[in-house]
Amino acid sequence: YYGGKTFGKHSLSALSPKKTIEGTLIGVGSAMLLVGCIAFFNGFSIVYAVIAGVIAALAQIGDLYESLIKRYYQIKDSSQLLPGHGGVLDRVDSILAVAPFLAWSLR
């Protein structure tokens, strides 16, 4: 979020105009760096850093897909259960996109 706010200049998609390419790259890179450091200092495989990057990218895709659904149906919020939060779907969109990959990678 802060990386995109600070350095973001190029829009990632018309579906979500406030998301930027720079913010996405900083988010994915930060996830990989953090998990890579943790893996390195704890003697784990650096492959975990790659998995963290994939998970971060899938989370962005899940958010964009949810935005596509809302634009298709021309609604601002997916529900009124959490007022001001875009609805329940906005809270779990990334989880829904990441869960199948995470389940596959943990098998």
Side-chain angles (χ1 to χ4, degrees):
Y1 172 79
Y2 295 111
K5 279 290 196 190
T6 305
F7 301 107
K9 301 272 188 267
H10 304 94
S11 180
L12 180 64
S13 171
L15 293 173
S16 192
K18 291 186 178 180
K19 287 196 180 310
T20 62
I21 294 170
E22 295 84 359
T24 298
L25 293 176
I26 289 169
V28 170
S30 297
M32 292 179 73
L33 183 64
L34 177 66
V35 172
C37 287
I38 292 169
F40 177 77
F41 289 114
N42 288 299
F44 296 120
S45 172
I46 207 72
V47 171
Y48 288 108
V50 175
I51 292 171
V54 171
I55 288 172
L58 285 173
Q60 287 281 329
I61 290 168
D63 187 59
L64 289 172
Y65 184 68
E66 190 265 343
S67 294
L68 174 71
I69 292 170
K70 289 195 321 187
R71 288 199 187 265
Y72 178 80
Y73 287 103
Q74 298 176 349
I75 57 173
K76 180 161 174 42
D77 295 337
S78 59
S79 74
Q80 300 301 318
L81 189 60
L82 300 169
H85 286 266
V88 174
L89 191 54
D90 265 333
R91 298 296 106 203
V92 298
D93 53 8
S94 297
I95 295 169
L96 292 174
V98 168
F101 172 76
L102 190 58
W104 173 81
S105 67
L106 292 176
R107 61 180 178 95

